[in-house]
């Protein structure tokens, strides 16, 4: 297959499982598809409208090489900004927290669409967003073009008066961010799109007919998807809202065949796996399987872990407390676990209704970028090693690239002495810490189950290369 090469990586390790996620696969032979990044990406279709053909398309190499992206959830739910981006659904379902919130704060007969004009985005500066994204070290960004509420962040011709151009901001938010990202950064631009809408009359009609009719798909969903792809030419389509109906209702394979064969993004676009009931973790491009998917072991298929800086909500919410936000220790731990097992990490934040990135979100993004400035060579373009995490010491995860093994050490070792059980050193082994100029001293360990003992450097605060998740670069093992 011209331009692409599939390599089988074999994992043969000993499984150690503990409450701290000290895990990797035992005697596994998991086939992980890896792209040859030195060759040109191109589409090798044509692809037929069936899953066997659609699933045979190789994943464009840029995605696996990227490793880290940013997710942005932004919509009318950013106006009430209470508990969850599922506000409308929870309120209509009669959840007491949401019913009482509306009763206490809004006049009687206030409807969810009344929030639309309040989604103003007057503080939104796409250039600032792009600069923060660049500073985060992310290699791609995914913006919600439409969530389950149905409000589109572009001026869709198929969402009359319920879009960001006709009301609220009176601006094409998708176009503005896409333009800034492409002109100011090297990030790939992607779009999230919800296939269904909770309360769209045509969708409810189709659902009432047990999805034997598809008026919503033909008159809303498919035309909107074509708008997005033809107008904004995204590198990634993050499909969602599929689970209530089969992929035959969504006409997924026909859409994907067009996307891969004839669309303007056919040579580089990447998609996920949310295309109908039962498709997640089985069909599509890369797998997401579920929100915050973190298998902890090497997977046979490329996958992604999407998770949120705010532990409880994808959209911005005003009721969050400081303990609701991930720490940098938690972010770097999840990044190390994810990429060591062959995944990408998609880290989410939600802007405010007026278009701001709140300080704690910006701080976490910039902190991640500073960490990646030191440790990025162990992340970008890396692959899983034969062991995903160490057989002896918890909190140590591995990647490999260009013949080197990288060990992500989540906790600085007691007495500056680290025993590892997975790397087997040779006489030519050299151990370095990324960000430290002098190689580290090592010796064969006398500890049972250990193969190597590494002496961590004695460094004061400003001398430390970073404040969390230190990375060792090991050669000749």
């Amino acid at each position: 297959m011209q331009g692409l090469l599939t390599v089988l990586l074999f994992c043969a390790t000993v499984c150690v499982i503990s409450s701290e996620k000290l895990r990797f696969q035992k005697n596994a032979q998991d086939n992980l598809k890896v792209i040859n990044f030195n060759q040109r990406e191109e589409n090798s279709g044509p692809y037929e409208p069936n899953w066997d053909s659609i699933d045979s398309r190789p994943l464009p190499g840029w995605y696996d090489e990227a490793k880290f992206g940013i997710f942005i959830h932004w919509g009318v739910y950013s106006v009430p900004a209470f508990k969850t981006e599922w506000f409308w659904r929870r309120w209509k379902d009669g959840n007491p927290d949401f019913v009482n919130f509306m009763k206490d704060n809004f006049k009687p007969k206030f409807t969810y669409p009344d929030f639309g004009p309040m989604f103003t985005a007057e503080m939104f500066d796409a250039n600032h967003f792009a600069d923060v994204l660049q500073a985060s070290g992310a290699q791609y960004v995914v913006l919600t073009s439409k969530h389950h509420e149905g409000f589109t962040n572009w001026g869709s011709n198929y969402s009359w008066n319920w879009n960001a151009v006709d009301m609220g901001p009176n601006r094409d938010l998708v176009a503005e961010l896409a333009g800034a990202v492409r002109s100011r950064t090297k990030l790939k631009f992607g779009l999230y799109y919800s296939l269904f809408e909770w309360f769209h009359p045509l969708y409810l009609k189709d659902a009432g007919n047990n999805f034997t009719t598809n008026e919503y798909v033909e008159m809303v969903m498919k035309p909107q998807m074509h708008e997005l792809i033809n107008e904004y030419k995204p590198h990634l389509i993050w499909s969602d809202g599929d689970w209530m109906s089969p992929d035959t209702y969504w006409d997924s394979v026909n859409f994907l065949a067009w996307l891969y064969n004839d669309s303007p993004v056919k040579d580089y676009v990447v998609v996920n796996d949310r295309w109908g009931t039962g498709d997640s973790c089985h069909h599509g491009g890369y797998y997401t399987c579920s929100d915050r998917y973190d298998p902890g072991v090497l997977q046979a298929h490329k996958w992604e872990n999407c998770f949120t800086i705010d532990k409880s909500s994808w959209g911005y919410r005003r009721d969050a407390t400081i303990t609701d936000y991930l720490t940098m220790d938690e972010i770097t731990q999840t990044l190390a676990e994810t990429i060591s097992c062959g995944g990408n990490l998609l880290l989410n934040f939600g802007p405010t209704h007026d278009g701001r990135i709140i300080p704690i979100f910006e701080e976490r993004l910039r902190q991640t970028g500073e960490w990646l400035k030191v440790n990025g060579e162990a992340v970008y373009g890396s692959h899983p090693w034969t062991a995903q995490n160490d057989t002896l010491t918890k909190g140590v995860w591995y990647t490999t690239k260009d013949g080197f093994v990288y060990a992500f050490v989540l906790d600085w070792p007691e007495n500056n002495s680290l025993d590892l059980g997975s790397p087997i050193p040779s006489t030519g082994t050299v151990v370095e810490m990324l960000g430290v100029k002098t190689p580290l001293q090592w010796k064969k360990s006398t500890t049972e189950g250990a193969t190597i003992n590494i002496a961590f450097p004695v460094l004061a605060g400003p001398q430390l290369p970073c404040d969390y998740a230190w990375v060792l670069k090991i050669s000749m093992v």
Side-chain angles (χ1 to χ4, degrees):
M1 190 172 293
Q2 187 177 11
L4 295 168
L5 177 64
T6 300
V7 180
L8 298 179
L9 296 180
F10 296 96
C11 171
T13 61
V14 180
C15 183
V16 177
I17 301 177
S18 72
S19 60
E20 294 82 11
K21 289 189 176 180
L22 182 58
R23 304 167 299 184
F24 67 96
Q25 289 184 308
K26 177 183 181 181
N27 297 326
Q29 292 185 335
D30 293 285
N31 303 326
L32 183 67
K33 184 177 288 185
V34 177
I35 303 299
N36 184 341
F37 303 125
N38 295 320
Q39 297 189 29
R40 182 168 59 93
E41 298 171 6
E42 60 183 64
N43 186 290
S44 58
Y47 295 97
E48 301 297 325
N50 61 72
W51 282 123
D52 284 344
S53 181
I54 295 298
D55 290 343
S56 72
R57 178 183 183 256
L59 193 69
W62 73 261
Y63 179 79
D64 182 63
E65 189 171 4
K67 300 302 182 198
F68 176 53
I70 299 297
F71 215 172
I72 303 175
H73 273 67
W74 196 24
V76 173
Y77 45 83
S78 305
V79 179
F82 179 72
K83 288 193 178 296
T84 176
E85 71 287 347
W86 279 50
F87 184 95
W88 194 3
R89 178 81 265 177
R90 299 287 183 259
W91 178 29
K92 296 298 288 185
D93 286 345
N95 184 298
D97 289 343
F98 296 83
V99 171
N100 291 334
F101 176 85
M102 292 303 299
K103 181 179 178 181
D104 293 342
N105 295 286
F106 296 91
K107 63 185 180 182
K109 298 183 180 180
F110 190 97
T111 67
Y112 189 84
D114 291 331
F115 283 125
M118 301 165 69
F119 178 54
T120 51
E122 72 271 20
M123 302 293 289
F124 175 56
D125 179 350
N127 289 338
H128 174 67
F129 269 56
D131 292 345
V132 173
L133 294 170
Q134 179 74 15
S136 76
Q139 302 298 293
Y140 61 104
V141 59
V142 180
L143 171 70
T144 46
S145 64
K146 182 188 79 171
H147 202 255
H148 311 324
E149 65 188 10
F151 187 91
T152 66
N153 280 330
W154 81 101
S156 175
N157 292 318
Y158 305 92
S159 186
W160 178 81
N161 208 36
W162 190 233
N163 67 74
V165 174
D166 289 343
M167 70 183 323
N170 298 126
R171 299 160 65 178
D172 187 331
L173 303 177
V174 174
E176 289 188 32
L177 187 61
V181 166
R182 287 167 173 157
S183 65
R184 300 173 73 88
T185 81
K186 296 181 180 180
L187 278 75
K188 309 292 188 185
F189 184 77
L191 290 170
Y192 166 107
Y193 178 83
S194 174
L195 301 183
F196 86 144
E197 299 178 22
W198 285 316
F199 305 114
H200 195 291
L202 291 179
Y203 176 77
L204 295 176
K205 179 181 177 182
D206 288 345
N209 293 330
N210 199 29
F211 300 111
T212 57
T213 57
N214 64 348
E215 291 185 39
Y216 169 79
V217 172
E218 294 299 325
M219 298 179 67
V220 179
M221 187 274 284
K222 287 169 66 176
Q224 285 184 341
M225 290 283 265
H226 280 77
E227 279 183 329
L228 287 174
I229 291 156
N230 289 321
E231 179 66 23
Y232 306 107
K233 299 177 177 58
H235 268 76
L236 189 152
I237 295 291
W238 216 100
S239 177
D240 195 20
D242 62 311
W243 61 86
M244 295 294 291
S245 45
D247 55 48
T248 51
Y249 170 71
W250 299 117
D251 200 22
S252 297
V253 292
N254 279 300
F255 169 76
L256 291 171
W258 169 79
L259 185 71
Y260 290 169
N261 292 326
D262 301 313
S263 79
V265 298
K266 62 185 177 66
D267 292 330
Y268 56 79
V269 72
V270 171
V271 304
N272 66 349
D273 57 347
R274 302 187 182 191
W275 298 102
T277 305
D279 286 350
S280 290
C281 240
H282 294 93
H283 294 299
Y286 64 88
Y287 292 167
T288 62
C289 300
S290 62
D291 293 347
R292 303 175 180 86
Y293 180 61
D294 182 14
V297 294
L298 183 63
Q299 299 298 293
H301 191 96
K302 185 64 187 180
W303 61 282
E304 182 181 75
N305 179 358
C306 59
F307 76 125
T308 58
I309 297 176
D310 177 347
K311 301 172 189 176
S312 298
S313 177
W314 297 87
Y316 167 71
R317 62 187 180 104
R318 295 176 291 166
D319 54 315
T321 64
I322 192 64
T323 58
D324 290 326
Y325 299 111
L326 292 175
T327 66
M328 278 305 301
D329 281 319
E330 292 171 315
I331 291 173
T332 51
Q333 175 182 338
T334 306
L335 177 60
E337 291 181 1
T338 299
I339 64 173
S340 72
C341 296
N344 276 22
L345 189 73
L346 188 63
L347 181 64
N348 176 80
F349 76 93
T352 61
H353 79 282
D354 55 2
R356 292 174 292 114
I357 307 173
I358 64 171
I360 196 166
F361 287 154
E362 181 168 344
E363 180 183 55
R364 290 293 183 270
L365 296 177
R366 291 187 181 276
Q367 287 173 325
T368 303
E370 288 300 313
W371 184 87
L372 283 164
K373 284 181 182 178
V374 176
N375 301 298
E377 73 169 85
V379 175
Y380 307 125
S382 67
H383 304 297
W385 190 45
T386 53
Q388 279 61 72
N389 58 345
D390 196 63
T391 55
L392 179 69
T393 300
K394 66 183 180 181
V396 177
W397 296 81
Y398 294 105
T399 62
T400 185
K401 185 173 70 175
D402 298 332
F404 295 99
V405 173
Y406 296 91
F408 295 76
V409 182
L410 303 182
D411 299 303
W412 192 275
E414 187 176 352
N415 299 322
N416 297 329
S417 179
L418 177 68
D419 280 319
L420 297 177
S422 295
I424 301 175
S426 66
T427 55
T429 293
V430 176
V431 180
E432 303 170 82
M433 178 179 287
L434 297 185
V436 176
K437 294 181 179 180
T438 306
L440 307 188
Q441 297 296 311
W442 68 269
K443 61 184 179 182
K444 291 187 176 181
S445 179
T446 58
T447 302
E448 184 179 357
T451 56
I452 186 172
N453 175 268
I454 300 169
F456 268 43
V458 178
L459 300 173
Q463 297 173 308
L464 287 169
C466 53
D467 295 325
Y468 16 72
W470 301 270
V471 179
L472 304 179
K473 181 179 182 179
I474 309 172
S475 65
M476 302 292 286
V477 292

